[in-house]
Amino acid sequence: MYSNIMVPVSLAHIDQIDKALKVAADLARHYGAKVHYVGVTSALPSEIAHNAEEYAEKLKAFAKQQASTHNINAEPHTLISHDPAVDLDLILEHAEVTICADLVVMASHLPSFADHLTGSHGGHLASHSQISVFVVR
């Protein structure tokens, strides 16, 4: 049913997306699918990495660790943006097409007042995607 599962990840918030990571791994094992971990960063230094190349190496190590831990086939995808906070929704929409994803599994958070004004990334992707989006709270 699924062969390419896209999982957007924020390396700065890995501890907050553990449930979504487990759901994606479980689905990947069940369907024999590949998990595509997508991380978006800028070329500028961040709290995670000094540059995009360092971020890509950390995402690669994360994907390798997830593959080993959950016995799945995983691939990292580092995407670079001038302003990830502003561009994230469009970048994720483009990424799902580029990697031929047939399912997106992503973590959510408890809605806040700001979400009612600006919306959430998961909500945006679910509304604009042509494929199924599984938002895990």
Side-chain angles (χ1 to χ4, degrees):
M1 183 171 211
Y2 300 113
S3 56
N4 289 295
I5 301 172
M6 183 175 103
V7 181
V9 297
S10 169
L11 294 179
H13 301 103
I14 291 299
D15 59 322
Q16 297 172 14
I17 64 171
D18 188 56
K19 189 173 179 182
L21 295 173
K22 288 178 182 174
V23 167
D26 190 44
L27 289 167
R29 275 193 312 275
H30 180 76
Y31 291 109
K34 179 186 279 190
V35 177
H36 298 266
Y37 295 105
V38 176
V40 181
T41 189
S42 74
L44 301 173
S46 69
E47 63 203 69
I48 298 298
H50 294 97
N51 54 48
E53 292 78 18
E54 183 181 348
Y55 184 93
E57 286 301 316
K58 289 184 178 190
L59 185 61
K60 181 178 178 181
F62 171 78
K64 185 176 180 180
Q65 177 267 324
Q66 288 291 304
S68 175
T69 299
H70 298 290
N71 194 28
I72 58 172
N73 187 2
E75 183 176 334
H77 298 270
T78 300
L79 305 175
I80 301 169
S81 166
H82 294 292
D83 190 347
V86 172
D87 300 334
L88 187 61
D89 293 334
L90 294 175
I91 288 172
L92 292 178
E93 283 180 53
H94 181 71
E96 74 180 33
V97 173
T98 302
I99 64 175
C100 299
D102 44 23
L103 175 66
V104 176
V105 176
M106 63 188 302
S108 181
H109 58 281
L110 293 175
S112 68
F113 179 72
D115 291 323
H116 296 287
L117 299 174
T118 62
S120 68
H121 298 298
H124 177 89
L125 202 56
S127 297
H128 294 85
S129 180
Q130 298 297 312
I131 62 173
S132 296
V133 178
F134 188 161
V135 180
V136 181
R137 185 173 287 168

